[in-house]
Amino acid sequence: MSRISLAGYLGTVKYTGPVEGTSGTWLGIEWDDHARGKHDGVKDGKRYFTCRVQNSGSFIRPSPNVSYGRSFLEALTSKYVETPHGSVSQEKVVLGSSQGSIVVEAVNLDKIRGKLADLGRLREVSLDSLDVATGDADGAIRQTCPNIRGLDLSKSLIPSWDVVALITRELPFLKRLCLKLALSPATRAFFSSEVPSLNRLLPGINCTAMESAFLNLIELQLNGTMMSWSEMQNATAAMPNLEVIEFGHNSLTRLHTADNILPANKTVRVINLDIHEAESENERIKAHPQWFNLCKSTISSMALAEAN
């Protein structure tokens, strides 16, 4: 499965090939924001792919405007490394707060740029909306920026937890990870217990990578990812020191799973749910049978349907 970005919209490639009545190759896309779609994979009565949200799909032509993303280090370099200006010793700088009215001359800015370009000094990194899709060659991330403590990979083109793990296992000091996906309220409204999970991150199947990727992680943000409760439990089982999970805006209608063999994560003490439909206080207890040290869950309002 591959993910794309086009004109600010993110989507998943569900079909590549011909479409009857036309020439050439088409891409069948399921868009994260269903408002970008036109149909659910059916063209002139023939189904080419399926969508998890009604009318969230469309066909587009392959073009240079379609981005399939870039590697973690490519995105990191593009944001945090500014190209030196070479032999220019003096540069004019517009003060940001002056709205262009104040211009000053600065000397030896390349020296400052060189210091800022030392990616090994980075502790907090945000690559939000920078189309991260893959990791890098084995050992490259660890060699370049091993001291990252907080990492934001929200609204990325990463297709699976395996890719997340290939990145984070090279960040031995990582404590905070953000994987939010900002779906529109209209798209979230389509989600219900009758609809398959809209989670864009496929489950991890590389057990070796998953087991070594989150050893020091203590905080995980999964807001708006449309993960189910059981998907969250499975993903976080590989995080032995996790304490805080941000899990709001996922349109949950049920908090607990009938599968009682899911691994128990005994370190989690806070889960912020921000649930808009909970039926009773008792749901809080039912929701967390495997989170033995859970101290707090934030539930905004109560009207959640009774779980079967």
Side-chain angles (χ1 to χ4, degrees):
M1 181 184 74
S2 59
R3 302 258 297 151
I4 67 158
S5 173
L6 177 63
Y9 290 94
L10 307 183
T12 301
V13 180
K14 304 296 289 287
Y15 173 79
T16 303
V19 173
E20 286 186 6
T22 68
S23 61
T25 299
W26 292 86
L27 301 176
I29 308 298
E30 180 183 15
W31 300 100
D32 291 2
D33 185 346
H34 88 286
R36 175 66 173 80
K38 298 179 179 179
H39 51 72
D40 61 354
V42 175
K43 171 71 172 174
D44 296 330
K46 180 177 179 178
R47 179 168 296 282
Y48 292 88
F49 61 96
T50 59
C51 293
R52 292 166 288 185
V53 174
Q54 184 179 4
N55 294 328
S56 62
S58 70
F59 289 105
I60 63 172
R61 291 286 193 182
S63 77
N65 294 325
V66 176
S67 169
Y68 291 88
R70 48 186 167 177
S71 77
F72 175 85
L73 287 181
E74 287 173 338
L76 186 75
T77 301
S78 72
K79 179 168 183 177
Y80 291 97
V81 177
E82 185 178 356
T83 304
H85 289 198
S87 59
V88 179
S89 60
Q90 289 187 331
E91 300 175 40
K92 291 184 178 180
V93 178
V94 178
L95 296 184
S97 59
S98 70
Q99 298 182 340
S101 63
I102 301 177
V103 179
V104 298
E105 287 191 349
V107 180
N108 294 328
L109 287 183
D110 272 354
K111 186 175 181 180
I112 298 175
R113 292 188 181 100
K115 290 182 178 180
L116 294 177
D118 182 3
L119 300 179
R121 297 160 57 99
L122 291 175
R123 299 295 189 272
E124 301 292 329
V125 168
S126 175
L127 300 180
D128 182 353
S129 302
L130 290 184
D131 292 353
V132 176
T134 67
D136 292 89
D138 190 30
I141 296 175
R142 183 185 294 267
Q143 182 177 4
T144 304
C145 51
N147 294 308
I148 293 176
R149 268 68 169 173
L151 176 61
D152 188 345
L153 292 174
S154 297
K155 290 176 282 185
S156 74
L157 299 182
I158 294 175
S160 70
W161 277 99
D162 284 335
V163 175
V164 175
L166 290 175
I167 294 171
T168 59
R169 70 175 182 175
E170 299 202 13
L171 301 173
F173 303 109
L174 186 67
K175 295 183 178 297
R176 296 170 297 281
L177 177 62
C178 182
L179 297 171
K180 294 186 293 186
L181 180 61
L183 298 178
S184 69
T187 297
R188 294 200 305 269
F190 273 87
F191 184 85
S192 73
S193 59
E194 311 303 325
V195 179
S197 170
L198 303 181
N199 177 23
R200 264 61 183 185
L201 282 176
L202 293 176
I205 59 175
N206 185 339
C207 295
T208 301
M210 289 291 290
E211 289 173 358
S212 62
F214 309 102
L215 296 179
N216 293 307
L217 196 69
I218 61 174
E219 180 179 338
L220 178 65
Q221 295 186 33
L222 297 172
N223 298 324
T225 57
M226 306 311 291
M227 294 179 72
S228 68
W229 183 257
S230 60
E231 285 173 333
M232 181 271 285
Q233 287 180 303
N234 281 322
T236 56
M239 303 172 186
N241 292 298
L242 190 64
E243 297 181 6
V244 178
I245 302 173
E246 296 287 343
F247 200 57
H249 303 292
N250 284 307
S251 297
L252 294 179
T253 57
R254 286 176 173 82
L255 297 185
H256 65 284
T257 174
D259 185 358
N260 291 320
I261 65 172
L262 288 173
N265 188 321
K266 299 181 181 181
T267 62
V268 174
R269 58 183 180 82
V270 176
I271 305 177
N272 287 323
L273 295 172
D274 190 30
I275 291 177
H276 295 286
E277 297 192 341
E279 180 174 295
S280 67
E281 181 73 17
N282 195 39
E283 284 292 338
R284 301 190 189 202
I285 300 172
K286 291 180 181 179
H288 314 119
Q290 291 130 344
W291 305 85
F292 300 129
N293 290 338
L294 190 66
C295 296
K296 171 186 173 185
S297 290
T298 301
I299 301 183
S300 61
S301 61
M302 314 297 276
L304 192 110
E306 182 77 28
N308 295 326

